[in-house]
Amino acid sequence: MVDFSKVQAIDFHTHAEEPCNHGRDDGYNEFQSGMAAYFKNPAGAEGMLPTVQDTADYYRERNIAAVIFPVDAERETGFRRYSNEEVAQLCAQNDDILIPFASIDPHKGKAGAREVRRLVRDFGVRGFKFHPTMQGFFPNDREACYTVLEACAEEGVITLFHTGQTGVGSGMRGGMGMRLKYSNPMHLDDVAVDFPDMPIILAHPSFPWTEEGLAVAQHKPNVYFDMSGWSPKYFPEIFIKYANSILKKKMLFGSDWPAITPDRWLKDFADAPFKDEVRPLILKENAMRLLGVTDKGA
């Protein structure tokens, strides 16, 4: 169990990328190369993606706890998903540093809802990552995804939604079929109304809909932001302004590992104009409150 009194921070957005139990599917290398070019890092080249164990070792060296998850986008990409069960089991083996989340394509309906319940009850999963653009759905489409979201709400877990621009398919022909429209954070305003007790995290600064995301997070008590996917030196001025004021208890440190390393993010965060009293909230305290943990763990 993570000793939250000892870790220096909680990274709320890290990826379990490398496929498990099989080789890479056709097109996967090209997809990861495109991601590497977008984020200007070597991750994604053949053999470069870290395993979950690599991630645990990396974060343990830095004394940073990490929320980690795969992304189930088989339907839209054709890439076989990383097993939620395997990720959760690896987290259990590294539970001093890793916090298990999972991912289920909401189009899976009742089968997906059953998987939600099993992962929470049998594997200790704390939350679920959704990627509207990669999974091809509007979050407020009741027919497409509410069966899975209802299960999340009933199990009392956290939901985390990609919002805004994405590196997935960026620069590739037709954007690899990825449609940005699905990830406008305003769609999550409906979700927050329909599931008022379910924690909802908007991943990333939601560009080009940053102000919409800030409005939803301010208006709905159950909506938060993770600040991943961007170096803090590129954050829009209004995003920093809200983080320093009315949303200071709703902002969460997230890197987007392995696309962006926590080393890079934290260095640029130190140089960004955040108030001293806000920094510990962003780095750890807000995440602890959202996870419902004390200094010594859950």
Side-chain angles (χ1 to χ4, degrees), residues 227 251-253 269 274 278-284 286:
M227 307 168 81
M251 292 288 184
L252 308 165
F253 160 45
F269 178 67
F274 290 95
V278 168
R279 293 179 183 275
L281 297 175
I282 291 172
L283 290 177
K284 187 167 77 168
N286 291 341

Side-chain angles (χ1 to χ4, degrees), residues 35-76:
M35 290 284 285
Y38 179 83
F39 286 104
K40 296 181 172 60
N41 71 42
E46 186 68 37
M48 288 293 291
L49 286 172
T51 65
V52 173
Q53 187 59 54
D54 290 337
T55 298
D57 295 341
Y58 179 95
Y59 276 82
R60 189 176 290 112
E61 289 176 1
R62 287 154 179 78
N63 195 31
I64 299 173
V67 169
I68 189 167
F69 44 77
V71 178
D72 175 6
E74 292 177 315
R75 175 177 173 272
E76 289 294 309

Side-chain angles (χ1 to χ4, degrees), residues 63-92:
N63 195 31
I64 299 173
V67 169
I68 189 167
F69 44 77
V71 178
D72 175 6
E74 292 177 315
R75 175 177 173 272
E76 289 294 309
T77 67
F79 303 145
R80 285 169 287 180
R81 66 173 175 169
Y82 199 139
S83 162
N84 284 316
E85 292 84 354
E86 182 173 330
V87 173
Q89 289 167 346
L90 288 166
C91 286

Side-chain angles (χ1 to χ4, degrees), residues 19 24-25 44 71 125 129 281 293:
R24 294 181 173 186
D25 290 313
V71 178
V125 165
K129 162 67 183 289
L281 297 175
V293 299

Side-chain angles (χ1 to χ4, degrees), residues 2 176 226 274:
V2 178
M176 209 178 86
D226 89 38
F274 290 95

